[in-house]
Amino acid sequence: MKFRHVRAIAVFGIAVVALTGARGSHGASCGGGSHSSSSSSGGSSGGSSTSGSSGSDSTSGTSGTSSSSGGTTTGGTSRDKAERDIKIDSCKLDSTGKNLVARLTVTNSGSLDQTYSITMKFNPAAGSSAVAAQARVTGLKVKAGASQQTEATAPYTGKGDGSEYKECVVSTASKSSL
């Protein structure tokens, strides 16, 4: 291969990365963003997870191209697309002290009604003896162009105020057209 071909391929590769951008990792910390939230103790009303049928899109996968330049991701898996629709409003112990509750807002900016299935993971602080907890929301129907609030609830098995759980993250997410 001639040097000019190698150079042309390199320039093309850089252009693709620059045009597609990157979204970052899925394991966001409690510093904000739309996929994590720090926990705190205190009063939230008790809740339950929404139930129904599960979605049909894939619930695992990785995003496409990544770079440190930021920008918009085009493509990706259905998991990535469903995760982008989810905003974590709060993660805390409910007022009864029996449940960990993640309050979520799911925004369907598409042109078709969607059904969402979401698994939340409550992560304990490093060095804590607490075990990670999971909560699920299945069959959440969100109309095209609308937002819907929901709660994902997991039983709290600890003896304290829930402060051993430092963050909650979207573990898996999928959506399917109605």
Side-chain angles (χ1 to χ4, degrees):
M1 223 188 214
K2 293 186 178 185
F3 180 71
R4 66 186 171 127
H5 292 117
V6 173
R7 185 174 44 187
I9 291 171
V11 169
F12 177 74
I14 291 170
V16 168
V17 170
L19 290 174
T20 60
R23 242 176 40 93
S25 68
H26 293 292
S29 68
C30 54
S34 64
H35 299 296
S36 71
S37 177
S38 64
S39 67
S40 63
S41 61
S44 166
S45 63
S48 61
S49 61
T50 307
S51 62
S53 62
S54 63
S56 62
D57 283 351
S58 170
T59 58
S60 65
T62 58
S63 63
T65 306
S66 66
S67 74
S68 60
S69 64
T72 305
T73 297
T74 56
T77 66
S78 60
R79 172 188 171 171
D80 297 334
K81 293 174 184 175
E83 279 188 18
R84 285 188 289 230
D85 295 350
I86 301 165
K87 178 180 175 261
I88 300 171
D89 299 321
S90 68
C91 290
K92 56 178 95 176
L93 191 62
D94 71 2
S95 60
T96 67
K98 295 181 181 180
N99 296 301
L100 295 167
V101 178
R103 285 185 171 266
L104 310 171
T105 300
V106 181
T107 302
N108 177 3
S109 57
S111 59
L112 298 172
D113 294 352
Q114 298 285 336
T115 301
Y116 290 83
S117 293
I118 305 162
T119 302
M120 297 298 298
K121 185 175 180 184
F122 296 86
N123 291 323
S128 171
S129 62
V131 178
Q134 286 192 345
R136 289 187 172 82
V137 174
T138 56
L140 177 67
K141 295 177 179 158
V142 183
K143 296 207 176 277
S147 292
Q148 175 106 10
Q149 290 187 324
T150 189
E151 292 181 343
T153 305
Y156 176 62
T157 58
K159 306 261 187 258
D161 61 1
S163 62
E164 67 270 26
Y165 290 94
K166 293 297 181 192
E167 70 176 354
C168 68
V169 295
V170 175
S171 178
T172 62
S174 66
K175 65 182 178 179
S176 62
S177 299
L178 295 176

